[in-house]
Amino acid sequence: MKFAEIENWITDVVKLTNPKEVVWCNGSQEEHNNALAAMAKRGEILPITAPGYKNCHLYRSHPSDVARTEHKTYVCTNTPEAAGPNNNWLDPDKAHAKVDRVFRNCMQGRTMYVIPYCMGPIDSPHSGLGIELTDSLYVVANMFIMTRIGDKALEKIKTNKFDVVRGLHSTADLDPDKRYIMHFPEKLLIKSIGSGYGGNALLGKKCHALRLASWQAKHGGWLAEHMLIAGIEHAGKTHYVAAAFPSACGKTNLAMLIPPEKHRDYKIWTVGDDIAWLRLGEDGRMWAMNPESGYFGVVPGTNENTNPIANDMLNHDAIFTNVALTSEGEPWWEGKTKGKPQIDWRGDPWGGVGTAAHPNARFTVSAKHCPTYSPAAEDPQGVPLSAIIFGGRRSTLNPLVAEAFDWTHGIFMGATLASETTAAITGQVGTLRRDPMAMLPFCGYNMGDYWQHWLSFQDKSQNLPRIFQVNWFQKNAQGKFAWPGFGDNIRVLKWIVERCENKVDAQHTPIGNLPNIDDIDFDGVSDADRDQLLAVVKKDWLEELDDLDDHFGKYGSHTPPQFKVLQERMRKEFTTTDEQAG
Ligand code: GTP
Ligand code: SPV
Ligand code: MN
C-alpha cells in the first residue's frame, strides 16, 4: 500500500472524528513512560506503590467493558458466504454507515494517537504491518508492550512495498449498545468503537493478527492461528510445538511451563503464548512465528506453583487490568497465595461476594522480561514445528492425549474441538461449544473454507508436523480435575516428543492413537482417574459423532467431504469392535 493512501485515510479520519490534536507514536521508552505518567496524572491508571513492585500500574476498565464481545464483532466481506456462519456479517456499505455515525466527532477534545506497528520481528519478511489510530492512551501503552511500535515500523510502511492493515479505534462513550468491532477483509481495514478492552481495542492482536491475517493467509498460502509456540529441550535437542486452546484454556501456562523437580531433564522455551503465524519452509517443514512481543495474560489462577514464570514477571513493568488490591496496595486476585483483598476490581471496598478480581483480569508484560523467552522467538524465519496440538476445556469425553493417524485426521481433530466457555468472552461461562482450532471467534472467513485451507497443506509437503489432541480439564466423579495440569503437563509433552522421535508405541483406538499406560507418568493420579483420563467410551463417542453432523452441516458444501468419511470410519470401527477402555 502506498503511504500517500494511508495519509489520505488519516486525513479523512480526522475530519470524521474531529480530535483536538494528532500525535504520532515513535515507540521510544520515554514516550511509553510519558503515556503512563499522563494517565496516572489524569487518574486513569493507578501506580502500584506497594514495596516489591517497580513501575507497575493498575487500570480499571469500565465495568461493562471487561472482555471480548463476540456478539458485537463483525466480518464485513462483500458476500455473507465469504464470512461464513461462524461470523456476524453486515454488508460493508451498511456497516460503514452504521459505525461512522458513532465515530462522528467522537474524538472531540481528545488526542488521536497514530501507532505504526509491526507484527513479528521488524527484519522478518513474514511480519505484518499496521497503523492503529486511537484516542486511548491505555491502548498506546499496551500496544507498546504487545507489538513493535513506532519509527522502525513506520520506515517499513513508508517503503510502499507491503500490505498495511489500517485500524481505527475509539473508546467513544463506552456505550455497550454502540460498541462495534468491524473487519473489512477485502480492504484490510478495522473499525472498532465503544470498547477499551484488550482484544476489542488492541487492534494488532485478534483483529489484525488473527481475523485479517487468517484472510491474508488463506490467499497467501499460510496460516494465522490462536496458538502458543514453545520449544521442548531434552538431551541436547529442542522440538518446537504449537498448540491451539480456546481463550483462557491454558496457552500462556503451557508456553511458560516449568517442569517439576522429577522432570527437570526437560526445559520449556517460550516463543509465543497466544498467536502463531505458520508457513511451509523450503524444507517442507512448517515454521511458526510469534507476531507479538508481549503477553496479555489471564491473572486469576497465576501463582508461584501454577505459573512461576508469569508470577515473577508481575513485579516490574507490568500493567494490571481489573485486579483487586490488598490493604497494602498490592495487586490481588483469586488464586494468589498471599494477602487479602480490600478493594475490588471496580475500585469499591471488597464486600466478599463474587470475585475480588475480575475473572478475566489481565496482565500486560513484555516478552523480554520472560526468563524462558526463546532466543529463536526473534528469528525472522521463526521455528520449525515437530507437532501441532489442539486442546479444549472439556470435563468429559476427550482423553488426556491422543495422536492423529495422519494430517487429515489431525485437521478433523482440530475441526471438532469443543470447549466450555470462559470469562474471556462476555456471556455465559461454562457452556460447551464447538470451537474449531480455537478459532471460532477469530477466523476472518468461512470456517468451511478454512478447513479446506488447512487440508491443502497435505499435498504440499511430506514433512508436516504430527498432530495431537490434549485435554487437561477432565473432571472426576468428585467434580475435581482428574489431571494435575500446569507443570505436570510436561508428562504429556514428553510422550508427544517421544512419539515424534518414534521412541514409543501407541494404542490404536477408533478416535486416535493413545498412550500405553506405562508410557505416561501417572504418579500421584489415582487409578480411577488414570483410567478415566485414557478411556474411550463407545456410547459417548457415538453420541459425539452424531452431534458432529449438526456442526459440519452448518457449513454446508464448504465442509470438506473427507470429514464425513472419517466420521463413518469411526462409527464403523466402534460398532464392529468392543468398547475400548484404558
Ligand atoms: P487467553 O489469553 O485468553 O487466550 O488464555 P490462555 O489460553 O493463554 O489461558 P491461560 O494459560 O491464561 O489459562 C487460563 C486459566 O486456566 C488460568 O486461570 C489458569 O490458571 C488455568 N489453567 C491453565 N493451565 C491449566 C491446567 O493445566 N489445568 C488446570 N486445571 N487449569 C489450568
Ligand atoms: C483471548 O480472549 O483469547 C485473549 C485475550 O487472548 S484478548 O486479547 O482479549 O483477545
Ligand atoms: Mn487468546
Side-chain angles (χ1 to χ4, degrees):
M1 176 174 251
K2 296 265 186 304
F3 186 59
E5 281 175 65
I6 297 172
E7 288 182 301
N8 288 341
W9 167 65
I10 297 175
T11 306
D12 289 346
V13 167
V14 167
K15 273 192 210 138
L16 176 69
T17 60
N18 199 13
K20 76 166 194 277
E21 58 174 347
V22 176
V23 170
W24 287 70
C25 299
N26 62 24
S28 67
Q29 182 66 46
E30 189 190 358
E31 178 183 79
H32 181 61
N33 297 346
N34 290 343
L36 291 168
M39 273 189 285
K41 200 165 159 209
R42 296 204 300 241
E44 292 170 11
I45 202 165
L46 206 68
I48 306 276
T49 50
Y53 289 84
K54 210 174 134 234
N55 197 29
C56 290
H57 294 82
L58 164 61
Y59 176 79
R60 295 191 183 111
S61 75
H62 190 276
S64 74
D65 187 31
V66 291
R68 282 183 298 102
T69 39
E70 293 183 359
H71 58 294
K72 302 297 262 178
T73 302
Y74 294 83
V75 170
C76 307
T77 40
N78 289 336
T79 66
E81 192 164 0
N86 45 300
N87 283 302
N88 298 314
W89 179 84
L90 276 175
D91 170 78
D93 289 340
K94 289 197 180 119
H96 284 299
K98 196 180 181 81
V99 76
D100 285 355
R101 270 201 296 276
V102 196
F103 272 113
R104 185 155 305 283
N105 291 325
C106 72
M107 296 193 193
Q108 214 159 26
R110 301 183 187 179
T111 301
M112 182 175 94
Y113 299 94
V114 182
I115 315 175
Y117 65 87
C118 180
M119 301 309 292
I122 291 274
D123 57 348
S124 170
H126 309 304
S127 290
L129 294 163
I131 293 226
E132 174 165 359
L133 310 180
T134 181
D135 56 8
S136 159
L137 261 183
Y138 172 76
V139 167
V140 173
N142 276 274
M143 285 288 283
F144 173 85
I145 299 174
M146 296 302 296
T147 77
R148 285 116 172 140
I149 76 166
D151 290 345
K152 288 208 175 108
L154 185 60
E155 243 170 67
K156 223 176 150 178
I157 290 170
K158 280 188 172 170
T159 62
N160 297 329
K161 282 195 206 143
F162 305 99
D163 285 341
V164 178
V165 167
R166 291 167 299 154
L168 167 58
H169 169 257
S170 171
T171 52
D173 55 6
L174 292 173
D175 179 351
D177 293 330
K178 287 191 263 157
R179 182 172 298 160
Y180 298 104
I181 298 93
M182 287 178 172
H183 306 73
F184 303 89
E186 284 100 346
K187 302 269 187 253
L188 295 184
L189 180 67
I190 307 156
K191 289 187 174 178
S192 166
I193 193 156
S195 168
Y197 171 77
N200 293 337
L202 313 176
L203 300 186
K205 198 171 176 56
K206 297 308 184 6
C207 300
H208 175 162
L210 287 179
R211 296 196 192 93
L212 293 188
S214 64
W215 171 277
Q216 291 176 292
K218 180 195 162 211
H219 296 281
W222 50 285
L223 291 160
E225 297 301 321
H226 192 201
M227 289 177 170
L228 70 95
I229 312 166
I232 308 167
E233 185 184 333
H234 174 67
K237 187 168 165 45
T238 302
H239 283 277
Y240 292 95
V241 301
F245 309 155
S247 302
C249 291
K251 290 182 298 300
T252 302
N253 277 267
L254 197 68
M256 295 170 190
L257 183 154
I258 299 270
E261 240 1 273
K262 188 176 166 191
H263 296 284
R264 285 280 155 86
D265 49 335
Y266 283 76
K267 178 174 168 63
I268 297 293
W269 291 98
T270 313
V271 181
D273 82 325
D274 198 49
I275 300 180
W277 286 358
L278 313 179
R279 56 187 83 228
L280 277 189
E282 278 164 20
D283 57 1
R285 289 191 293 176
M286 201 167 249
W287 291 69
M289 181 185 86
N290 172 16
E292 300 190 284
S293 60
Y295 314 115
F296 184 62
V298 175
V299 186
T302 306
N303 63 43
E304 59 281 12
N305 306 313
T306 56
N307 190 347
I309 295 280
N311 200 57
D312 285 353
M313 279 193 284
L314 299 186
N315 56 20
H316 72 104
D317 301 286
I319 300 176
F320 293 92
T321 300
N322 295 336
V323 296
L325 288 176
T326 66
S327 52
E328 282 80 44
E330 277 201 67
W332 192 93
W333 52 86
E334 278 67 22
K336 181 138 178 168
T337 51
K338 281 190 300 236
K340 279 198 191 75
Q342 190 195 43
I343 308 284
D344 73 10
W345 63 274
R346 292 183 188 81
D348 296 332
W350 168 232
V353 180
T355 60
H358 189 276
N360 191 38
R362 297 266 167 175
F363 60 79
T364 322
V365 291
S366 166
K368 296 219 170 69
H369 298 165
C370 176
T372 54
Y373 189 50
S374 166
E378 301 285 339
D379 192 314
Q381 295 304 328
V383 296
L385 295 180
S386 298
I388 285 176
I389 305 171
F390 295 113
R393 182 184 284 268
R394 206 161 174 183
S395 45
T396 60
L397 193 78
N398 288 113
L400 179 63
V401 58
E403 183 187 353
F405 302 124
D406 53 33
W407 184 256
T408 307
H409 180 229
I411 305 313
F412 177 90
M413 277 180 167
T416 56
L417 199 72
S419 194
E420 287 138 27
T421 50
T422 63
I425 333 156
T426 300
Q428 211 181 341
V429 171
T431 313
L432 187 71
R433 70 169 187 183
R434 297 277 163 208
D435 191 348
M437 282 80 173
M439 281 288 280
L440 180 69
F442 307 122
C443 181
Y445 62 101
N446 191 309
M447 184 67 77
D449 299 343
Y450 166 78
W451 293 331
Q452 307 265 12
H453 182 47
W454 261 101
L455 288 171
S456 72
F457 288 89
Q458 173 93 305
D459 306 326
K460 294 187 195 146
S461 167
Q462 299 297 308
N463 217 351
L464 291 167
R466 297 217 198 184
I467 302 182
F468 297 82
Q469 184 171 40
V470 300
N471 180 16
W472 314 142
F473 298 96
Q474 270 203 52
K475 295 243 177 96
N476 61 20
Q478 291 75 45
K480 295 253 159 61
F481 289 118
W483 179 248
F486 300 104
D488 285 308
N489 291 330
I490 193 70
R491 308 181 193 184
V492 173
L493 294 181
K494 177 169 183 268
W495 185 74
I496 288 174
V497 165
E498 285 170 355
R499 285 297 291 168
C500 291
E501 293 186 342
N502 298 314
K503 284 197 176 140
V504 283
D505 291 333
Q507 208 190 122
H508 177 95
T509 80
I511 62 138
N513 290 322
L514 264 69
N516 291 310
I517 279 187
D518 294 339
D519 290 334
I520 293 226
D521 175 7
F522 281 104
D523 202 15
V525 178
S526 74
D527 288 356
D529 284 351
R530 179 200 62 198
D531 291 348
Q532 182 189 326
L533 286 163
L534 293 183
V536 176
V537 182
K538 175 175 163 176
K539 178 176 111 344
D540 297 348
W541 276 97
L542 285 174
E543 268 173 34
E544 170 82 354
L545 287 167
D546 286 347
D547 193 60
L548 292 179
D549 289 339
D550 271 359
H551 172 51
F552 291 144
K554 267 196 203 133
Y555 301 94
S557 61
H558 293 265
T559 301
Q562 292 95 318
F563 288 177
K564 190 116 240 140
V565 176
L566 279 174
Q567 257 174 298
E568 281 318 311
R569 193 177 81 192
M570 289 180 201
R571 275 197 184 105
K572 203 155 148 204
E573 200 178 326
F574 269 121
T575 43
T576 53
T577 56
D578 287 328
E579 185 162 312
Q580 316 257 338

